[in-house]
Amino acid sequence: MKDIGTESCSGCLNISCKKRLYPKREPLSRRALLQGLPALLIPAAGFIAGYILPGILVSGATEALQAACGMAALFVPAGALYILHKK
């Protein structure tokens, strides 16, 4: 059997394996947390705005309409962020 080396080891957690690799755990940095913050806050802000604005703009807006607008406003910014990060 050919020796595949540790660089191709996927860390199978086999107890008898002599090439067990343990992932290095690094503490979260402030920069990493700040990078992930827009991905969480922008869609949440979109939902809140989408839920509140129909109640203000349309006098007879029901909660179902507000929830539907909130869900649409949740996914539009999330999709835009996804497209921007893919480029």
Side-chain angles (χ1 to χ4, degrees):
M1 190 166 153
K2 185 178 177 184
D3 187 20
I4 57 174
T6 57
E7 58 271 352
S8 62
C9 181
S10 62
C12 62
L13 299 177
N14 185 359
I15 294 173
S16 63
C17 182
K18 301 213 188 276
K19 298 180 202 167
R20 291 183 66 184
L21 297 177
Y22 296 99
K24 295 179 182 175
R25 295 190 178 174
E26 298 176 8
L28 285 176
S29 66
R30 183 176 178 176
R31 182 177 176 207
L33 291 174
L34 289 177
Q35 267 184 322
L37 202 58
L40 297 173
L41 290 182
I42 292 174
F47 175 79
I48 293 169
Y51 186 82
I52 292 174
L53 286 177
I56 295 171
L57 298 176
V58 180
S59 62
T62 62
E63 285 188 31
L65 175 67
Q66 287 180 303
C69 291
M71 290 304 292
L74 171 76
F75 288 110
V76 169
L81 277 175
Y82 174 75
I83 291 170
L84 287 175
H85 283 291
K86 288 295 267 187
K87 289 184 178 184

